[in-house]
Amino acid sequence: MQNLSVDEALGLVLEEIKPLPLEEVPLVMALDRIIGEAVCSPVNLPLFSNSAMDGYALKAVDTAAASAIFPAKLAVIGEVAAGEVFSGKLERGQAIRIMTGAALPEGADAVVKFEDTDEAFKPGSRAWNSVEIFTAAQPGQNVRLEGEDFKPGQPVLPTGTVLNPGCLGLVASLGYASVKCVRKPRVAILATGSELLQAGQPPLPGKIYNSNNYILAALVTKYGGEVVRLSTVQDRTELIEQGIAESLAQKPDLLITSGGVSVGDFDLVKQVLGTVGELQMWQVRMRPGKPVAFGEIAGIPLLGLPGNPLAALVSFELFGKAALLKMLQCPPGPELIEAITVEPVRNSSGRRNFLRGKLFQEEGRLYVRPSRYQMPSQLASLVESDCLIVAGEDCSYYLAGDKVAVMPLYRLEKSLSRAIHPVMAGI
């Protein structure tokens, strides 16, 4: 199938991609993994009422009239540290010296910090059997109540959450040692091209350095996948077949190729696909990235991207990212937001054009500045850009001040900032 729209191509990709199963992942290895099953609290959090301060646990009513001039004087009947539990019960007129995190003694309903007592003026204060309180306490003051964060059975993290350090700490605080995550997609990457040199090799006439493998491997990793093979082959049918066979031997969930999907004499990947697999589509009405192939070999989806590095990146952001996110049971996107262009944007291609740009905010509004470099061969635009400006097929010119659709680059999370508003698909 030729001459597909971006939306048609994306639909074909997502129709064939299947979500991956779940696996139990230890918390120490779960950073940036995606939860496949909602996490609910099995316990109260906090597990017990405890002190949020170093100070004195007491009954708030005993300090109702306390002030710096007329302090409330209470009998100190003991001390409790974090990890300990006071065995007695607090009565009226009494206080217990308490450390941060220690369980609140029975009968106490507030904690007054050391700074609001006379302890600072007592040398060897721990030997004293009374304390003066200089401020009136309120019930619940400096107390973390049992279950005030979460109750048993209450949802904590929804399905699809990307586990950051805070999430991992929260899950650990509930007593979990592991969490159910979607298995990482295994991805094999194969660059084709007789002109390619590997990084570290000396330059040779007519040769260029292979940048696609590094771009695509980084994108796969960024969006939650695992690169299981990274290889390069020359433009020879038998070598491409061998490279694909060796990649499939790694049992990937997705095979990505770059190069060989256009209409030149040495664009052989699509021919190999037609021989050993099934080709479903190979041209899309977009720029850059018109030659994009998608098919299947031995039950493994194959995404064939252009050889041009910029076109390969844009095509991956549209189709490769969507495939990985569906495997990871996340909304596949692409995520479009709305911004105001500060410079004119031209689109003379008659196709959906993805131009590089830089987002910034002023006075609560989101703006985008088109990159100085817009030629498909200019990798410099990838350095100074953080988004793609989406110029629609039916619009050839946007004025400065017009609203445009923008697709942030390299983002797994769904939200960028409060100033950004979602744009409906179909632009």
Side-chain angles (χ1 to χ4, degrees), residues 169-233:
L170 176 58
V171 173
S173 72
L174 299 172
Y176 290 105
S178 61
V179 65
K180 287 187 177 180
C181 298
V182 184
R183 179 172 63 77
K184 279 190 173 186
R186 294 168 52 85
V187 182
I189 299 172
L190 175 65
T192 66
S194 298
E195 76 280 13
L196 297 178
L197 289 173
Q198 299 308 310
Q201 292 181 328
L204 294 173
K207 305 291 185 180
I208 63 173
Y209 287 106
N210 176 10
S211 59
N212 281 359
N213 274 1
Y214 298 96
I215 292 173
L216 296 175
L219 288 169
V220 166
T221 303
K222 180 69 176 178
Y223 296 131
E226 177 186 1
V227 178
V228 296
R229 180 175 171 83
L230 196 66
S231 55
T232 306
V233 297

Side-chain angles (χ1 to χ4, degrees), residues 2-13 281 285 319:
Q2 301 184 35
N3 206 30
L4 298 173
S5 71
V6 173
D7 299 323
E8 288 170 336
L10 182 59
L12 284 172
V13 171
M281 62 93 172
R285 297 195 303 273
F319 308 118

Side-chain angles (χ1 to χ4, degrees), residues 287-331:
R287 183 182 183 188
K290 181 179 179 181
V292 176
F294 184 73
E296 184 179 283
I297 298 180
I300 304 300
L302 182 145
L303 180 62
L305 303 179
N308 176 282
L310 184 58
L313 182 143
V314 172
S315 299
F316 185 95
E317 283 283 342
L318 287 169
F319 308 118
K321 176 182 177 181
L324 290 181
L325 292 186
K326 185 172 181 183
M327 289 180 180
L328 289 166
Q329 303 185 23
C330 292

Side-chain angles (χ1 to χ4, degrees), residues 125-294:
S125 57
R126 295 183 65 173
W128 291 69
N129 58 10
S130 67
V131 63
E132 292 184 352
I133 309 297
F134 298 141
T135 182
Q138 301 298 318
Q141 178 175 311
N142 297 325
V143 174
R144 304 183 185 117
L145 294 175
E146 178 181 353
E148 69 177 9
D149 293 339
F150 295 103
K151 300 287 193 300
Q154 186 175 347
V156 175
L157 296 175
T159 300
T161 299
V162 181
L163 289 167
N164 60 34
C167 293
L168 294 174
L170 176 58
V171 173
S173 72
L174 299 172
Y176 290 105
S178 61
V179 65
K180 287 187 177 180
C181 298
V182 184
R183 179 172 63 77
K184 279 190 173 186
R186 294 168 52 85
V187 182
I189 299 172
L190 175 65
T192 66
S194 298
E195 76 280 13
L196 297 178
L197 289 173
Q198 299 308 310
Q201 292 181 328
L204 294 173
K207 305 291 185 180
I208 63 173
Y209 287 106
N210 176 10
S211 59
N212 281 359
N213 274 1
Y214 298 96
I215 292 173
L216 296 175
L219 288 169
V220 166
T221 303
K222 180 69 176 178
Y223 296 131
E226 177 186 1
V227 178
V228 296
R229 180 175 171 83
L230 196 66
S231 55
T232 306
V233 297
Q234 296 181 357
D235 289 319
R236 290 168 51 188
T237 299
E238 67 275 14
L239 295 180
I240 294 174
E241 291 177 346
Q242 179 183 345
I244 290 176
E246 292 174 353
S247 296
L248 294 177
Q250 300 299 315
K251 299 181 179 179
D253 301 298
L254 177 66
L255 172 59
I256 297 176
T257 65
S258 64
V261 294
S262 190
V263 295
D265 292 344
F266 294 95
D267 290 314
L268 302 176
V269 171
K270 64 180 184 295
Q271 297 179 25
V272 173
L273 273 175
T275 302
V276 301
E278 180 184 352
L279 184 68
Q280 295 187 4
M281 62 93 172
W282 64 276
Q283 285 196 340
V284 182
R285 297 195 303 273
M286 58 183 283
R287 183 182 183 188
K290 181 179 179 181
V292 176
F294 184 73

